[in-house]
Amino acid sequence: MATERTLSIIKPDAVAKNAIGDIIARFEKAGLKVVAAKMVQLSEEKAGGFYAEHKERPFFKDLVGFMTSGPVVVQVLEGEGAIAKNRDLMGATNPKEAAPGTIRADFAETIDANAVHGSDSPESAEREISYFFGNDEICPR
Ligand code: RTP
Ligand code: MG
């Protein structure tokens, strides 16, 4: 499998729980490398643009409200099959359906505040990484 990059966001609920380190440890233990990282307070515009694909969904307003409710940690993860590997580590969107031992099962309770985001395809990963990081902010390792 090819080396890939994916965008990960540690969402406001997990930051508020002081779980940043525990979550990043899971990525590193699974062989993913952090090649870019920053903490940011998203504006409504930035959060809405990030989730533009969901603009017409009933949950869009709540989603933007949640993502702007506190700071997030945005990272680029690199590794073999990084996109699928990160999604496996995250677990299902709804924490109640997430497999035991996944990040969402262990750090989240509701579908609205579900601890982490991860790109869902190579196309999303490319768009999402460039939405947050310039090339000079990514450190190949
Ligand atoms: P994410 O984009 O945040 O990594 O989550 P995901 O791929 O697992 O789920 P997605 O379908 O992209 O939805 C984005 C976020 O919107 C919220 N959501 N709420 N109430 C609902 O039915 C519903 N569906 C989605 C979730 O917080 C989800 O993470
Ligand atoms: Mg998604």
Side-chain angles (χ1 to χ4, degrees):
M1 193 173 285
T3 299
E4 290 177 338
R5 286 178 177 173
T6 190
L7 187 88
S8 163
I9 302 179
I10 301 176
K11 295 184 179 183
D13 59 321
V15 173
K17 279 183 189 162
N18 249 3
I20 297 169
D22 286 344
I23 291 173
I24 291 178
R26 293 194 181 203
F27 299 145
E28 294 193 325
K29 282 185 184 132
L32 295 172
K33 292 178 177 174
V34 178
V35 295
K38 59 186 165 193
M39 179 177 268
V40 284
Q41 169 63 53
L42 298 178
S43 64
E44 275 189 32
E45 190 187 0
K46 188 86 179 175
F50 181 73
Y51 279 119
E53 64 178 310
H54 297 310
K55 210 169 175 10
E56 306 304 328
R57 302 282 199 93
F59 58 80
F60 180 73
K61 199 165 179 284
D62 286 347
L63 177 58
V64 171
F66 167 64
M67 290 301 289
T68 57
S69 66
V72 298
V73 178
V74 191
Q75 309 140 90
V76 179
L77 305 176
E78 186 177 85
E80 293 273 301
I83 297 166
K85 191 178 268 188
N86 182 38
R87 297 284 294 191
D88 287 348
L89 292 169
M90 288 163 57
T93 306
N94 186 346
K96 292 183 173 64
E97 292 163 11
T102 60
I103 294 169
R104 282 169 166 165
D106 291 346
F107 295 99
E109 285 86 42
T110 71
I111 192 169
D112 301 305
N114 59 5
V116 281
H117 161 81
S119 307
D120 61 11
S121 67
E123 295 72 30
S124 303
E126 198 175 324
R127 179 186 87 81
E128 293 175 359
I129 290 169
S130 62
Y131 192 75
F132 281 106
F133 294 99
N135 271 338
D136 60 344
E137 294 178 297
I138 301 174
C139 303
R141 299 169 48 189

